[in-house]
Amino acid sequence: MKHVGREAAALLNGAGIELSEGLTDAEFDSVRERFGFHFNPDHRSLLATALPLGDRWPNWRSADDLELGTWLDKVTEGFIWDALHQQPPFWPTSWGRMPASPEDVTTIVRQQIGAWPRLVPIFAHRFTPATPSPSGSPVISVWQTDIVYYGANLLEYLANEFPLGQGRKTLSPISVRVPFWSRFIEAANRAESI
């Protein structure tokens, strides 16, 4: 598992991404205490080896809680936006009848997505599941309810993403399924799949 962090940091360094020293155990504990999740083993391995820096990277060391909370809430906010603005609205039948008030819509979306495994930002709108998701977990691109796999694992994702602007190069078979998210992705983001 430790080699994942070294290989990931080497890929980022080779792509010219600014790297800082990795997070300490105390810093990982602080993230867990403040936000209630553990990074999955591969994501933790990268962040323990080197912390990527830049405006599209969450800075787990020095960003304030409001900024990190905004990063962590991007997925849910995207679902809320599509429920309120997409035509027809994104509203799975399994969520019951869609309420009329935006506040009630927001509450129900937060409850529903809150029951799914937590996705943690890696870079921009690319996420990976928190634990208990194991090593080898996929990286998922999330743009509102347009959600796709972007790498079968962290190393494949980084090779796909960097250098920037080249688009996804490869997608190996997904070996780690993520409850709810995998089904949603594989059903082509259809509300009925939830």
Side-chain angles (χ1 to χ4, degrees), residues 102-180:
E103 295 80 14
D104 291 342
V105 166
T106 298
T107 297
I108 290 172
V109 172
R110 286 194 180 286
Q111 289 170 343
Q112 294 294 328
I113 300 303
W116 293 21
R118 182 121 193 223
L119 296 182
V120 179
I122 298 173
F123 172 77
H125 56 278
R126 312 296 193 226
F127 294 79
T128 192
T131 59
S133 203
S135 183
S137 292
V139 173
I140 301 169
S141 177
V142 180
W143 190 259
Q144 292 161 226
T145 55
D146 180 12
I147 302 174
V148 298
Y149 292 122
Y150 218 78
N153 56 58
L154 180 66
L155 293 175
E156 183 178 275
Y157 157 68
L158 294 173
N160 279 337
E161 189 79 79
F162 301 99
L164 286 172
Q166 296 185 1
R168 187 174 66 195
K169 301 169 191 80
T170 185
L171 184 60
S172 300
I174 303 300
S175 61
V176 174
R177 294 190 44 79
V178 183
F180 294 97

Side-chain angles (χ1 to χ4, degrees), residues 79 94-95 111-119 140 147 149 177-190 193-194:
F79 274 76
S94 65
W95 292 0
Q111 289 170 343
Q112 294 294 328
I113 300 303
W116 293 21
R118 182 121 193 223
L119 296 182
I140 301 169
I147 302 174
Y149 292 122
R177 294 190 44 79
V178 183
F180 294 97
W181 295 110
S182 290
R183 186 175 67 227
F184 184 67
I185 292 166
E186 293 159 8
N189 300 196
R190 289 193 326 269
S193 68
I194 298 175

